[in-house]
């Protein structure tokens, strides 16, 4: 079984800065011939607040030549409490009504693929509790299948035992809960996006993949992270085990968010120093 993972497309109905990468990506997917496509979030520029972005992007994804499963990213459903767009019931309902479920599992032969809404991790509310209970059942009832899991946010950046990383990674408590489940239930792969770096590593028996963004790389706006600044996709091949290839897709433009961040994601103006 061949699964193409795409991530962080950041396409938009109004802000169309990265939309031109869809045509070459779509063509490459057709040539690659996957059995399934998994989109690991940030489908939209601003689906967290704009239904039209979700509708626009979902219509694009419907052009794909293979079935596609999607998990949301922070620009789709919001992010941490206290952020400008926190995850809440309204944003989750908008996603679920327009794009589909924010968590899912898909059985294919000896494998069960699980999609996780990683934006719920750390909320410490009923939504997070319900997802952990759902995940426990999906793992316990896998019928001997091996597990590959997909979510938007990586579990850690530099070290599996690191502390809070804020915007970029999972919180330590939730990360530990997932690591326990991984070890108990033969989770062979956890693949994510979000950081706009492409990287492969391992934690215990679990292979880790940060899929390359299909939109842009980050230059100086954030500190360097592990991996490479690629624009493209990941190809996961499942047999007795899983192998992954990170691919720079021909014809896609390597946009740099630093150049257009104030157009795409305007930052709050800095307060003037007190006189």
């Amino acid at each position: 079984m061949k699964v193409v993972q795409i991530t962080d497309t950041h396409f938009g109905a109004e802000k169309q800065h990265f939309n031109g990468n869809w045509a070459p990506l779509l063509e490459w997917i057709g040539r690659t011939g996957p059995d399934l496509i998994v989109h690991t979030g940030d489908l939209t520029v601003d689906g967290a607040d704009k239904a039209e972005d979700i509708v626009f992007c979902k219509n694009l994804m419907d052009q794909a030549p293979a079935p596609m499963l999607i998990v949301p990213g922070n620009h789709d459903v919001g992010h941490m409490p206290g952020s400008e767009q926190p995850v809440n019931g309204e944003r989750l309902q908008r996603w679920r009504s327009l794009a589909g479920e924010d968590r899912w599992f898909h059985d294919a032969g000896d494998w069960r693929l699980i999609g996780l809404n990683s934006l719920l991790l750390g909320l410490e509310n009923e939504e997070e509790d319900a997802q952990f209970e759902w995940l426990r059942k999906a793992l316990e009832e896998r019928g001997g299948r091996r597990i590959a899991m997909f979510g938007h946010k990586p579990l850690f950046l530099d070290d599996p035992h690191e502390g809070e990383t804020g915007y970029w990674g999972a919180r330590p408590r939730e990360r530990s809960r997932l690591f326990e489940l991984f070890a108990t239930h033969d989770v062979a792969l956890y693949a994510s996006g979000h950081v706009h770096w492409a990287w492969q590593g391992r934690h215990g028996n679990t292979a880790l993949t940060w899929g390359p963004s299909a939109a842009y790389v980050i230059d100086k706006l954030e500190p360097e992270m592990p991996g490479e600044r690629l624009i493209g996709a990941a190809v996961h091949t499942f047999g007795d085990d899983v192998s992954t290839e990170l691919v720079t897709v021909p014809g896609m433009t390597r946009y740099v968010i630093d150049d257009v961040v104030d157009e795409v994601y305007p930052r709050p103006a800095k307060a003037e120093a007190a006189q």
Side-chain angles (χ1 to χ4, degrees), residues 4-193:
V4 162
Q5 177 196 353
I6 61 176
T7 195
D8 295 87
T9 47
H10 294 266
F11 296 151
E14 179 182 352
K15 296 181 178 181
Q16 302 183 12
H17 296 67
F18 314 117
N19 291 6
N21 272 348
W22 178 234
L25 179 57
L26 186 63
E27 181 182 358
W28 172 83
I29 291 171
R31 294 197 310 269
T32 302
D35 301 292
L36 182 70
I37 305 163
V38 175
H39 194 310
T40 47
D42 280 359
L43 172 67
T44 68
V45 168
D46 191 19
D49 275 344
K50 296 179 179 178
E52 58 267 32
D53 267 10
I54 298 178
V55 173
F56 175 82
C57 291
K58 189 65 168 59
N59 287 337
L60 289 182
M61 298 303 108
D62 287 344
Q63 300 171 7
M68 182 184 297
L69 297 170
I70 309 173
V71 293
N74 51 293
H75 290 290
D76 303 319
V77 297
H79 207 180
M80 302 177 295
S83 66
E84 290 187 25
Q85 294 176 311
V87 181
N88 59 28
E90 178 184 356
R91 292 189 168 105
L92 289 170
Q93 180 55 36
R94 181 185 298 119
W95 174 267
R96 290 164 179 165
S97 65
L98 297 175
E101 290 298 323
D102 58 328
R103 57 179 180 259
W104 43 260
F105 68 80
H106 172 82
D107 292 339
D110 295 331
W111 288 87
R112 170 166 286 187
L113 278 54
I114 294 178
L116 196 67
N117 182 352
S118 63
L119 282 309
L120 299 181
L121 299 176
L123 294 186
E124 299 181 353
N125 62 9
E126 291 181 359
E127 286 281 1
E128 182 185 17
D129 291 343
Q131 178 169 250
F132 265 114
E133 176 60 20
W134 171 89
L135 177 59
R136 182 191 63 77
K137 289 185 65 177
L139 291 169
E140 290 180 352
E141 298 173 2
R142 69 188 189 278
R145 297 178 181 88
R146 301 200 70 194
I147 297 291
M149 196 175 299
F150 297 85
H152 181 61
K153 295 180 69 172
L155 300 179
F156 62 88
L157 300 181
D158 297 304
D159 188 290
H161 305 294
E162 67 194 10
E164 293 274 357
T165 54
Y167 181 89
W168 292 112
R171 296 175 66 183
R173 175 177 172 271
E174 289 70 34
R175 184 194 311 141
S176 294
R177 290 183 69 180
L178 287 173
F179 282 162
E180 290 176 6
L181 291 171
F182 287 9
T184 301
H185 296 287
D186 190 27
V187 176
L189 171 71
Y190 180 82
S192 58

